[in-house]
Amino acid sequence: MRVSMEVGERPVRGARSAGGETLKAAVFDLDGTLANTLPAISKLLVKVAAEQGCSVTARQAATAIGKPPAAAFGRLLGRPEDDGRVQAAISRYRELFAYEVLCQGPQLLYPGVTAGLSALRAHGVELAVATSKTTRSAEALLDVMGIRDLVGPVVGQDMVRRGKPHPEMVLRAAGRLGVPAWQSAYVGDTVGDMRMAVTARMEPVAVTYGSGTFGELAAVAGTRMCSSFKDVVSVIAAARPRPATAAAGPVVRPRRAAVPVGAQQRRR
């Protein structure tokens, strides 16, 4: 089912009736979803903020994870995003990232990710990554974890004009795969991820082992809750595409209850 075209966005496949079909694509967040980088990133944020003269707790740093770099450091340093100290902090963070985070390699993978991605590919699901990281940083992380070959396009913050929770990022990823958004899922660990998925008309799939709490994630209408990556694979493999009429544009869906997966859900 893989398409050989690598450069530019692929032609979108013709919309067909959703009856009896499963999802054709899954787009993934990276930190807190595929990669257990949250402890290392939190520690690095605290360190860089301290170098800029700001005392930041690990809890405060955790709330900034998943946001674009300027927004994250602007929040932590209490300064405008275009402030010189914010920009200096971003440069320092990127400089230290390889030494503080990438050095951990495959140990950063959450349990079941490699096998799960392989299973989805075998099921005929196209895979991509959409993340607030820069594309270069995301590619490097995927490489050191050994899963770069399992996913197709990688869309980073530097590839879009508007970051999360605006849907531009995931819509670009789906376009690169050649799959309509309504036949796709987005998997992430934050409320912003789920709101982005809903606005893009994608199936919102939340993991509860990342930075978002169960209650926060479940409050987003229609979110499917997963306590493990094995649950993620089960949800995507079984989910049905939305009606073709949903492809018309990013309109928020009517509210329905969150759908938990698995007998036990970890409440945070």
Side-chain angles (χ1 to χ4, degrees):
M1 189 172 175
R2 308 290 297 174
V3 180
S4 60
M5 194 174 190
E6 294 293 337
V7 180
E9 294 189 357
R10 300 175 182 174
V12 175
R13 297 167 188 158
R16 293 177 292 174
S17 168
E21 294 185 0
T22 56
L23 295 178
K24 298 186 181 301
V27 183
F28 292 88
D29 174 47
L30 189 47
D31 297 310
T33 301
L34 299 179
N36 186 16
T37 52
L38 303 184
I41 288 178
S42 179
K43 182 178 179 180
L44 181 54
L45 290 173
V46 170
K47 179 177 181 177
V48 173
E51 291 180 355
Q52 294 298 321
C54 290
S55 178
V56 172
T57 67
R59 186 180 185 87
Q60 290 171 322
T63 65
I65 295 175
K67 294 179 172 57
F73 279 108
R75 178 174 182 171
L76 293 176
L77 301 182
R79 292 177 174 271
E81 294 183 11
D82 59 354
D83 185 85
R85 290 176 64 180
V86 171
Q87 297 304 312
I90 293 172
S91 296
R92 180 61 169 161
Y93 174 86
R94 289 172 176 166
E95 176 187 349
L96 295 176
F97 189 79
Y99 303 101
E100 304 281 346
V101 182
L102 293 184
C103 63
Q104 299 181 44
Q107 297 177 24
L108 293 170
L109 281 170
Y110 280 111
V113 167
T114 301
L117 293 177
S118 298
L120 288 172
R121 280 171 55 103
H123 192 71
V125 179
E126 300 276 2
L127 308 178
V129 167
T131 171
S132 290
K133 283 186 171 342
T134 64
T135 304
R136 180 177 179 180
S137 178
E139 295 269 11
L141 180 55
L142 291 167
D143 277 335
V144 299
M145 293 192 301
I147 59 172
R148 179 62 190 92
D149 292 341
L150 293 178
V151 299
V154 176
V155 177
Q157 177 71 23
D158 54 312
M159 294 180 65
V160 297
R161 290 178 298 173
R162 292 161 292 189
K164 298 179 181 180
H166 192 278
E168 181 181 359
M169 183 179 294
V170 286
L171 292 175
R172 179 179 288 269
R176 290 284 302 277
L177 290 172
V179 178
W182 56 274
Q183 291 182 318
S184 310
Y186 184 71
V187 186
D189 69 311
T190 68
V191 170
D193 289 337
M194 296 303 99
R195 289 176 177 166
M196 178 173 64
V198 170
T199 304
R201 299 295 254 174
M202 290 182 168
E203 189 72 17
V205 180
V207 297
T208 60
Y209 52 73
S211 62
T213 67
F214 184 97
E216 292 169 343
L217 295 166
V220 180
T223 299
R224 295 180 179 268
M225 308 294 291
C226 300
S227 61
S228 69
F229 203 79
K230 183 178 180 180
D231 286 346
V232 171
V233 175
S234 298
V235 164
I236 294 173
R240 295 292 185 266
R242 314 206 161 281
T245 54
V251 180
V252 178
R253 294 186 289 153
R255 183 178 180 83
R256 63 185 175 85
V259 182
V261 175
Q264 306 240 340
Q265 296 291 343
R266 180 163 65 91
R267 299 182 180 269
R268 298 164 57 105

